């Protein structure tokens, strides 16, 4: 109880009034108690104040509301311009395209590889931000703006984004990775997702809890990654789309601040004084560095080349003071194949090489009366092709051909590395808003395989031959006096198998990096960074180009194939091992919540 000379303090909705009761002097003996009336502060609540922190459904879509004491925003308060470096990063890596096209017009032909990876989740996650914002608003959870101002800000943001994305798409005319349309750059799904994430960030992340912002930008980042994995976009498309999404929303809100001024605002941004640089962040970057794997140094084409990697991080650190802390990072790095080299060529041409090369090899290896073996001039090859049911002239598979259909299905066209690291974090304050940072990390890296499955079908073939063992000169000699063309054995065959897999064992990873952090709000920051990671990987490549021959040939024909020099080493599949030091560079941007 507070005693203040017998005074009572009361207040109305307009003013605080101090009331002094009338005092009567009294003389008392032996009683040391003093009368102290209770100090009372009475503040009648208005309707707005009573409902601000209560959840009550809000369907007043056209009714303007403005809470007292909310500070209007200025035009430049909305602009961080972080979308510009993201967009520029997309332009910088636009030239890193694949050297082959996949699934052109959805046709299965022997001259291409078909991707079988597909998820439709990204078609829905692009709307996570606006769905959350509208859902919270309808439930009565008060955010930054009333309905008219929110709808105007959102409409302006999406309108600017649509104009920028479509204007660039149909001017640049970049072909998509799957070869479906020439409207790849920039990514509309990613831009849409980042507009929604920034809406959620401004309405609830800045005014209620920073974890709304984490959720929004986290889902938006995942949407961009899925667009790359779905072979619908290049990494450059996603980076530029993210930049356009953020920049469009900042412009949309800034223009609405000029239009509405102080009207329609319900809550201001939270103001917190964070001196400690502890943080949690979500990052998206571009991976550079080692981008090819060669398994046979003597054969230059026996290598797989990769595009620039897509890198996504979740990172956090606790600082003991302004300068040093401990933390960890979870990183996903996906490198998509740019060129499969020899390994894709063989699945396109192996049926020709297998059947034609077999006859040619025996003619040279076993001298004798090979009346049926082709000499490989144009006329002989045409005759041979017709007899076995395959014509090379018009590239048409006949009904009785040994191989009537063959193609590769790309189950995964990328190597994905998952790395968890822990270590020390360092911070050097440059000013109230800017700081430099670095780190020293150690962790473990795990790899998901690149995987191509093969499919082939056709007619079972037999080869009639006579083998003679002669000893007329004192030395045994093996000859094949007769060798016929492959003939149909009146049976069909089909085969599905693991054509190519590329993976690696888990390894220890070491990482460091340098970053520049800009604190644009008391509890939010943007960061640009350059990381370096090193690991030594033991890669394993399994390649089985002629697995189907076991189904396509009779046992007698298989015996001939197994003693042939040109294909013998490949008939059972081959496996290469390669130890390689991997040097990774990552350039990217992070969204931070200051803890």
């Amino acid at each position: 109880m507070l005693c203040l000379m017998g005074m009572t303090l009361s207040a109305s909705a307009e003013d605080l009034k101090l009331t002094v009761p009338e005092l009567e002097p009294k003389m008392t003996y032996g009683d040391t108690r003093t009368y102290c009336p209770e100090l009372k502060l009475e503040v009648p609540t208005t309707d707005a104040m009573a409902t601000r922190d209560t959840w009550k459904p809000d369907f007043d879509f056209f009714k303007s509301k403005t809470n007292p004491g909310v500070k209007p925003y200025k035009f430049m308060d909305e602009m961080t311009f972080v979308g510009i470096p993201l967009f520029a990063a997309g332009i910088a890596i636009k030239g890193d395209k694949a050297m082959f096209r996949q699934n052109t017009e959805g046709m299965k032909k022997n001259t291409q590889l078909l991707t079988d990876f597909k998820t439709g989740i990204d078609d829905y996650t692009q709307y996570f931000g606006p769905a959350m914002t509208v859902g919270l608003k309808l439930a009565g959870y008060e955010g930054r703006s009333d309905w008219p101002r929110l709808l105007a800000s959102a409409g302006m943001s999406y309108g600017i984004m649509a104009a920028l994305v479509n204007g660039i798409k149909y001017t640049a005319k970049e072909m998509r990775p799957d070869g479906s349309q020439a409207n790849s750059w920039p990514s509309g799904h990613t831009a849409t997702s980042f507009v929604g994430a920034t809406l959620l960030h401004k309405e609830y992340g800045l005014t209620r809890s920073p974890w709304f912002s984490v959720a929004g930008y986290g889902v938006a980042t995942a949407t961009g990654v899925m667009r790359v994995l779905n072979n619908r976009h290049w990494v450059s498309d996603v980076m530029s789309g993210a930049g356009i999404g953020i920049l469009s929303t900042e412009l949309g809100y800034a223009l609405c601040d000029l239009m509405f001024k102080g009207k329609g605002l319900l809550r201001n941004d939270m103001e917190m004084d964070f001196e400690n640089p502890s943080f949690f962040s979500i990052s998206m970057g571009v991976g550079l560095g080692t981008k090819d794997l060669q398994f046979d140094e003597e054969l230059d084409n026996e290598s797989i080349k990769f595009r620039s990697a897509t890198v996504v991080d979740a990172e956090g650190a606790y600082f003991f003071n302004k300068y040093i802390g401990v933390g960890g990072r979870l990183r996903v790095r996906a490198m998509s194949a740019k060129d499969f080299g020899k390994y894709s060529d063989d699945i396109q041409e192996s049926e020709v090489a297998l059947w034609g090369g077999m006859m040619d090899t025996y003619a040279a290896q076993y001298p004798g009366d090979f009346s049926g073996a082709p000499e490989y001039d144009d006329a002989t090859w045409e005759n041979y092709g017709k007899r076995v049911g395959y014509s090379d002239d018009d590239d048409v598979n006949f009904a009785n051909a040994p191989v009537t259909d063959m193609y590769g299905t790309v189950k995964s066209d990328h190597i994905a590395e998952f790395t968890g690291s822990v270590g020390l974090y360092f911070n050097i304050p440059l000013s109230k808003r800017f700081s430099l940072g670095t780190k020293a990390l150690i962790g473990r890296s795990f790899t998901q395989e690149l995987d191509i499955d093969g499919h082939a079908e056709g007619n079972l073939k037999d080869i009639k031959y006579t083998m003679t063992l002669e000893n007329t000169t004192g030395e045994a000699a093996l000859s094949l006096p007769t060798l016929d063309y492959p003939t149909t054995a009146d049976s069909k065959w089909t085969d599905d198998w693991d054509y190519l897999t590329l993976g690696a064992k888990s390894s220890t990873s070491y990482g460091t990096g340098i970053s520049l952090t800009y604190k644009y709000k008391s509890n939010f920051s943007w960061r640009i960074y350059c990381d370096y990671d090193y690991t030594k990987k033991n890669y394993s490549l399994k390649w089985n180009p002629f697995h189907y021959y076991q189904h396509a040939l009779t046992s007698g024909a298989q015996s001939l194939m197994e003693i042939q020099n040109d294909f013998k080493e490949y008939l059972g599949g081959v496996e290469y091992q390669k130890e390689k030091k991997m040097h990774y560079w990552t350039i990217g941007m992070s969204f931070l919540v200051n803890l």
Side-chain angles (χ1 to χ4, degrees), residues 71 134 169 176 202 267-268 310 357 397 404 416 426 465 556:
K71 179 183 176 182
V134 172
K169 270 182 179 289
R176 292 179 182 270
K202 288 186 173 294
R267 300 181 72 93
N268 273 135
T310 305
N397 290 316
T404 57
F426 305 93
Y465 63 94

Side-chain angles (χ1 to χ4, degrees), residues 43 45 71 152 201 205 210 219 241-242 280 302 355 376 423 449 475 480 560 584:
V43 184
T45 57
K71 179 183 176 182
H201 165 64
V219 173
F280 174 82
E302 284 204 23
W355 299 98
Y376 267 65
E449 289 182 338
E475 295 184 0
L480 295 173
L560 284 176
Y584 297 137

Side-chain angles (χ1 to χ4, degrees), residues 58 90 127 179 195-196 272 344 552 571 592:
D58 183 0
Y127 302 116
V195 168
M272 304 177 185
S344 62
L571 293 181
L592 282 74

